[in-house]
Amino acid sequence: MAMDAASSSSLRGATVPFLVLPLLFVAALPAELTVTDDDILLPSCKTVGGGSTYFDVQFCLDALGSVGAGADARSYRDLAAVAVGLLAANATSTSAKIDALLRNGGGGGGGGGGKVDAATARCLRSCRALYGGIARRQPGCAAAVRGGRFGEAKSSLEKSAAAARRCEDGFRRGNATSPVTAEDDAAFKLAKLGVALLGFA
C-alpha cells in the first residue's frame, strides 16, 4: 500500500496500512511511573489483545510498535492516545486514496489501471463521507483521552469503528469489489484497540 513518504516511517514489518505520523497525540506522562519500554507494550498488547474478538496481540504490537509507542508511552492512556493518532492518520490516507481512485480511476497503491465501475464509484463516494466523519471526530477524541474523558473517547471510537465497517459492507451490498478492504480493516481494528486500551486506563 503506498504511503506518503514525507510523513511516514518504517513500519518495522507491520502488515497494516498505516500512514505513520509523529506522536502528537500522546498524553503527558505521569511523573510517578518509571516503566521502561520493554515493560509496557508487550504486556499491554497481551492484556487487550489476548481476549479480543476484534484484533489480536500481533496487530496491537505492529500498530503501536510502528511508531515506537513502547519507547514513549507509560500507561494504557498513553497507548490509547497513540491508537487515536494512528486512526486519524489512517482516515487521512484512506480519504486521499479514495479521492485518487475517484479522480484517476486507478487501482491505487500498486497498479491495476482502468476506471472504477459505477457501482464501485458509488460505494467509494459513500466511504469518502464516512472517512470524513472519522477524521473530523479524531481531534475531539484525542482531547477527550488527554482530558481523562474516557467514556466520551470510547463513544467516538465506536462510531469510527462502525463507519469503517459500513464502508466495507457497502461494497458487499453493492456487489462491488472493495479497493479499500485493508484500510477499512485497519481503521476498524485501530478504533477497537483504542476502546480496549481505554478500558484499562
Side-chain angles (χ1 to χ4, degrees), residues 10 13 18 23 25 27 31 40 56 95 98 100 129 145 147 171 173 201:
S10 170
F18 301 127
L23 297 182
F25 303 89
I40 181 129
D56 59 17
S95 294
I98 290 170
V145 172
F171 288 98
R173 289 194 303 270

Side-chain angles (χ1 to χ4, degrees), residues 107-188:
K115 292 194 176 296
V116 296
D117 58 38
T120 301
R122 276 195 304 274
C123 295
L124 285 170
R125 284 191 289 271
S126 175
C127 288
R128 182 167 56 187
L130 289 166
Y131 273 94
I134 292 174
R136 285 190 297 274
R137 273 191 292 275
Q138 295 324 295
C141 185
V145 172
R146 289 192 301 269
R149 302 187 306 277
F150 298 151
E152 178 184 332
K154 287 194 279 188
S155 176
S156 174
L157 288 165
E158 290 289 7
K159 289 176 183 176
S160 293
R165 182 62 58 84
R166 281 198 303 275
C167 172
E168 194 62 23
D169 287 347
F171 288 98
R172 283 192 286 273
R173 289 194 303 270
N175 294 316
T177 300
S178 172
V180 290
T181 296
E183 289 84 356
D184 288 340
D185 183 63
F188 178 82

Side-chain angles (χ1 to χ4, degrees), residues 8-199:
S8 60
S9 60
S10 170
L11 294 186
R12 301 177 191 171
T15 58
V16 288
F18 301 127
L19 175 67
V20 181
L21 297 178
L23 297 182
L24 302 176
F25 303 89
V26 178
L29 305 182
E32 70 274 10
L33 293 183
T34 57
V35 186
T36 66
D37 58 342
D38 289 334
D39 289 328
I40 181 129
L41 190 57
L42 181 58
S44 299
C45 284
K46 283 183 175 179
T47 297
V48 299
S52 175
T53 59
Y54 302 114
F55 60 89
D56 59 17
V57 175
Q58 193 60 51
F59 176 87
C60 177
L61 290 171
D62 287 345
L64 300 178
S66 71
V67 288
D72 296 324
R74 296 292 182 269
S75 68
Y76 284 104
R77 174 176 169 172
D78 294 340
L79 293 175
V82 175
V84 170
L86 288 169
L87 178 58
N90 173 282
T92 299
S93 62
T94 304
S95 294
K97 178 177 178 176
I98 290 170
D99 285 343
L101 286 167
L102 289 171
R103 183 173 59 250
N104 302 324
K115 292 194 176 296
V116 296
D117 58 38
T120 301
R122 276 195 304 274
C123 295
L124 285 170
R125 284 191 289 271
S126 175
C127 288
R128 182 167 56 187
L130 289 166
Y131 273 94
I134 292 174
R136 285 190 297 274
R137 273 191 292 275
Q138 295 324 295
C141 185
V145 172
R146 289 192 301 269
R149 302 187 306 277
F150 298 151
E152 178 184 332
K154 287 194 279 188
S155 176
S156 174
L157 288 165
E158 290 289 7
K159 289 176 183 176
S160 293
R165 182 62 58 84
R166 281 198 303 275
C167 172
E168 194 62 23
D169 287 347
F171 288 98
R172 283 192 286 273
R173 289 194 303 270
N175 294 316
T177 300
S178 172
V180 290
T181 296
E183 289 84 356
D184 288 340
D185 183 63
F188 178 82
K189 288 178 178 177
L190 283 169
K192 289 295 189 180
L193 173 60
V195 170
L197 290 165
L198 288 172

